[in-house]
Amino acid sequence: ALPTAAAPRLRSIDDLEAVLAGATHDEHDALRTLGRDWSLLLVDGDPCAPAAAQEVRCFRAHGGLPLLRLLARPTVLALRDAHDRSAYVVLTGLGHDEATLLVGKTPLQVPLTLLTTAWRGDFTTFWRVPAGYTVPLALGSHGALVDAVGAQLAAQQGASAPAPDHVFDAALRARVDAFQQAQGLAPDGVAGPTTLMQINRASGVPEPWLAGTAPAALAAPVAQRK
């Protein structure tokens, strides 16, 4: 696993800039580091293609700390160094007031107030793709993955699973919407990557998690969550 403990703590912007001066400017390097926690075999070049062949996909997004907490998985952050260049680090832990970053092979504790001076919200992570996933599931979708998502959400919500070969209908959309609201996602009723990541997590699919998060808390039925 990626290291998260006994890390020195940065205390100033000067400290952070000194660290970022030695960070990689190649996102691929950071993704290969991140891939170790996923037991991925990643060769030179873009790691996303060989990861996809191992049923793990890259997911790139722009967001804030709440989204990182929600997804709760080790993530490559694109920080900006003193020369406004991208410097890539791996987020391995996220506490209330500070984050644990892996810069090269060096773990560091960084106060969130300091981290956000260099991070503008861009990040990349991996997620384990459910069998049969090609595009987000929405009204009219059908197939084994629709059946699986319907069964998983029904179990989460204490309801009976839909019949096999069930089309993604208004009832399933409502279940997806309810799950999204319970998880803090935008409730659009479409099961795309972030929704499927959270379904994975709630269903106990083995994926790496950030230190400082508690996956078991998401396993409670949605009907019991406030």
Side-chain angles (χ1 to χ4, degrees):
L2 300 174
T4 57
R9 190 172 192 269
L10 302 186
R11 300 187 179 277
S12 69
I13 289 178
D14 288 344
D15 288 347
L16 180 59
E17 289 182 349
V19 164
L20 294 183
T24 182
H25 298 289
D26 185 347
E27 185 193 35
H28 294 170
D29 289 340
L31 284 172
R32 279 188 285 272
T33 297
L34 180 62
R36 296 174 198 159
D37 229 26
W38 290 78
S39 300
L40 295 174
L41 180 60
L42 302 177
V43 295
D44 291 342
D46 185 352
C48 295
Q54 299 166 70
E55 300 181 345
V56 172
R57 262 188 211 187
C58 290
F59 175 75
R60 290 185 171 88
H62 181 86
L65 291 172
L67 181 56
L68 295 183
R69 290 189 191 282
L70 180 68
L71 299 181
R73 62 192 58 228
T75 300
V76 171
L77 303 182
L79 306 185
R80 308 303 296 185
D81 69 9
H83 303 287
D84 202 32
R85 299 174 301 176
S86 293
Y88 296 97
V89 302
V90 178
L91 175 73
T92 63
L94 189 58
H96 180 69
D97 297 314
E98 63 183 22
T100 305
L101 304 182
L102 192 61
V103 184
K105 296 181 179 179
T106 305
L108 298 166
Q109 297 289 341
V110 183
L112 298 182
T113 52
L114 189 55
L115 175 65
T116 52
T117 66
W119 183 55
R120 298 175 185 172
D122 294 321
F123 69 91
T124 305
T125 190
F126 290 122
W127 67 293
R128 199 170 302 283
V129 182
Y133 178 82
T134 54
V135 296
L137 304 179
L139 287 174
S141 297
H142 58 88
L145 182 55
V146 171
D147 290 344
V149 167
Q152 289 167 319
L153 292 183
Q156 284 288 308
Q157 297 166 1
S160 300
D165 300 321
H166 191 77
V167 174
F168 195 120
D169 58 10
L172 182 52
R173 180 187 171 110
R175 282 185 177 171
V176 171
D177 190 293
F179 179 81
Q180 290 168 327
Q181 290 192 63
Q183 300 300 315
L185 294 167
D188 61 5
V190 176
T194 54
T195 298
L196 292 172
M197 286 181 206
Q198 296 306 94
I199 291 175
N200 278 356
R201 192 180 195 210
S203 301
V205 173
E207 294 180 310
W209 306 116
L210 283 175
T213 63
L218 285 178
V222 169
Q224 296 179 9
R225 294 177 58 80
K226 302 296 184 183

